[in-house]
Amino acid sequence: MTYLLLWIVTFIAFTPIDAAEFKIKPKDIRITINQQATFNLTLDEDIKVPVNVSFDIPHPDLLKIEPKYLIYQKKSQVMIKVFGINPGSLVVSANVTPANQTIFTQAFVRVTIEKSDTLYHISNIVGWIYFLAWSISFYPQIYSNYKRKSVVGLNFDFVSLNIVGFLMYGLFNCGLYWIPEIEEEYFNRNPKGLNPVQLNDIFFSLHAFAATAFTIAQCFIYETGDQRVSTTARIIHGIFTTIILVSVILSIINYLTWLDFLYYCSYVKLAITLIKYVPQAYYNYQRKSTVGWSIGNIFLDFTGGMLSMLQMILNAYNYDDWWSIIGDPTKFGLGFFSVSFDIFFLIQHYALYRHNEEKVIDIKG
């Protein structure tokens, strides 16, 4: 009986009596060092007993807040000032005591302090340039195929892996951006995070898939020589297909969430990005020629990869966040890996096989 009474008292003490909620707007603030900005902390309804509000600053060496402490009881809105001290990023959360009268899960703000606003805009420009470079990079190969009325020289393993990779990338982006239930699951796991998918990610992945599909259509129309998708590539496709089908089944029976399924799609895309250039490089070596493999595509891909890494370095310097490269090397590593292959293709084209002509004999894939 004593335990029952204790449970009831505890339940009453920690259950919200009113539906009053603390909220912070805006959710994102960007300032430079020694700059000031503001956000609003709002209580949307009156409460019975005054509550104390303080702010949890994970890195007080980066940011200063005024006022640090507040007392609320009536419905009101207070403007809070933030001052940038050192570069970095952090999430500032409101703590409320006693906590039983209010909801404050949305009472947080993401603050980014940068060294230079100019670097921020340069980084954005670099980002748009590499986005355009990667988007345009599909067309030199398409034009080369059309002009030659042949796809001899374009490795079919590369193309087949490419379209699967962009399909997986498109599924991940569209699912996380357009399906509310999946986005909600993401925010349940990352309550103070941002959706990592932006509209330009949607455009790039769908455009890349469509351009690659068009290239595959050219493979059915134009001269192909003796090329085919290799047995090795077929086995790899079988492994990826098995992974995706098992993930779909496990998601249907609720063993996995659909968000987990999208993560598996992204892992397949990651694996494909690591291996997709190998067949084309080996194919060029077999033929001792790069005829049919558009060098314009390589220049644009190289430009996009270099600028992608440059943007990461600019951001790491501007926010003093080198851990974004060292601690999570995937994006930087993929960019470096792609650029390395682009350099190898340039060497093949301009040094190793630059005297070879169209008459080169095709090698079976």
Side-chain angles (χ1 to χ4, degrees), residues 87-147:
S89 59
L90 68 162
V91 177
V92 177
S93 305
N95 290 322
V96 181
T97 54
N100 61 309
Q101 296 186 90
T102 59
I103 302 169
F104 50 95
T105 55
Q106 293 300 308
F108 67 89
V109 58
R110 292 175 288 260
V111 184
T112 303
I113 308 105
E114 58 196 21
K115 294 179 179 179
S116 167
D117 189 56
T118 302
L119 277 180
Y120 169 80
H121 291 293
I122 291 175
S123 174
N124 281 343
I125 293 171
V126 167
W128 278 107
I129 293 174
Y130 84 67
F131 169 76
L132 290 173
W134 273 341
S135 297
I136 298 170
S137 68
F138 298 93
Y139 292 100
Q141 184 66 57
I142 290 174
Y143 178 72
S144 175
N145 297 342
Y146 166 76
K147 185 179 179 181

Side-chain angles (χ1 to χ4, degrees), residues 4-269:
L4 178 61
L5 290 173
L6 181 61
W7 183 87
I8 293 172
V9 170
T10 303
F11 179 81
I12 294 173
F14 289 96
T15 301
I17 298 171
D18 300 316
E21 184 173 8
F22 278 104
K23 291 183 179 180
I24 287 179
K25 289 185 178 181
K27 277 285 184 285
D28 294 277
I29 294 176
R30 181 177 61 85
I31 55 177
T32 57
I33 297 174
N34 299 322
Q35 185 182 27
Q36 173 183 306
T38 61
F39 64 85
N40 294 317
L41 177 64
T42 304
L43 179 63
D44 63 1
E45 291 186 21
D46 294 345
I47 53 179
K48 296 179 180 179
V49 179
V51 294
N52 297 311
V53 179
S54 60
F55 293 100
D56 178 24
I57 307 175
H59 303 286
D61 58 317
L62 303 183
L63 189 74
K64 182 172 68 174
I65 285 187
E66 291 183 359
K68 294 182 179 179
Y69 306 99
L70 297 155
I71 298 177
Y72 276 84
Q73 184 171 10
K74 301 294 183 181
K75 176 181 178 181
S76 59
Q77 176 175 288
V78 176
M79 181 180 291
I80 311 297
K81 297 178 182 179
V82 294
F83 302 87
I85 302 174
N86 288 302
S89 59
L90 68 162
V91 177
V92 177
S93 305
N95 290 322
V96 181
T97 54
N100 61 309
Q101 296 186 90
T102 59
I103 302 169
F104 50 95
T105 55
Q106 293 300 308
F108 67 89
V109 58
R110 292 175 288 260
V111 184
T112 303
I113 308 105
E114 58 196 21
K115 294 179 179 179
S116 167
D117 189 56
T118 302
L119 277 180
Y120 169 80
H121 291 293
I122 291 175
S123 174
N124 281 343
I125 293 171
V126 167
W128 278 107
I129 293 174
Y130 84 67
F131 169 76
L132 290 173
W134 273 341
S135 297
I136 298 170
S137 68
F138 298 93
Y139 292 100
Q141 184 66 57
I142 290 174
Y143 178 72
S144 175
N145 297 342
Y146 166 76
K147 185 179 179 181
R148 297 169 63 243
K149 298 297 187 289
S150 170
V151 291
V152 174
L154 174 63
N155 184 266
F156 284 9
D157 290 358
F158 167 77
V159 179
S160 67
L161 289 169
N162 226 14
I163 195 165
V164 173
F166 288 126
L167 174 61
M168 295 298 100
Y169 189 41
L171 284 175
F172 177 83
N173 288 336
C174 293
L176 197 52
Y177 190 84
W178 275 325
I179 300 178
E181 292 79 9
I182 295 178
E183 186 180 36
E184 182 181 359
E185 173 64 23
Y186 176 83
F187 284 122
N188 287 339
R189 298 187 190 185
N190 307 275
K192 297 178 182 178
L194 287 171
N195 190 327
V197 178
Q198 302 299 316
L199 191 59
N200 60 339
D201 297 317
I202 299 285
F203 173 81
F204 175 78
S205 57
L206 296 181
H207 171 264
F209 177 81
T212 307
F214 188 85
T215 304
I216 290 176
Q218 289 182 314
C219 295
F220 287 95
I221 298 172
Y222 299 138
E223 177 192 0
T224 62
D226 293 325
Q227 295 179 106
R228 62 180 178 84
V229 177
S230 70
T231 302
T232 301
R234 293 171 190 269
I235 293 172
I236 292 172
H237 283 303
I239 293 172
F240 289 151
T241 301
T242 301
I243 292 172
I244 295 303
L245 286 178
V246 171
S247 300
V248 167
I249 293 171
L250 293 178
S251 298
I252 291 173
I253 64 176
N254 295 322
Y255 185 83
L256 290 177
T257 67
W258 287 107
L259 178 61
D260 290 322
F261 165 71
L262 293 184
Y263 279 135
Y264 282 113
C265 290
S266 71
Y267 300 151
V268 170
K269 162 60 179 170

Side-chain angles (χ1 to χ4, degrees), residues 297-318:
N297 165 45
I298 299 306
F299 273 118
L300 288 166
D301 190 65
F302 177 80
T303 301
M306 289 295 291
L307 291 179
S308 172
M309 292 189 293
L310 175 62
Q311 186 187 50
M312 292 186 68
I313 293 171
L314 287 174
N315 289 341
Y317 171 78
N318 203 23

Side-chain angles (χ1 to χ4, degrees), residues 319-347:
Y319 306 133
D320 198 20
D321 184 20
W322 297 101
W323 188 252
S324 62
I325 296 176
I326 300 171
D328 184 14
T330 302
K331 182 179 178 182
F332 190 87
L334 287 176
F336 181 80
F337 188 81
S338 297
V339 166
S340 298
F341 260 103
D342 290 333
I343 293 173
F344 182 72
F345 287 131
L346 291 171
I347 292 172

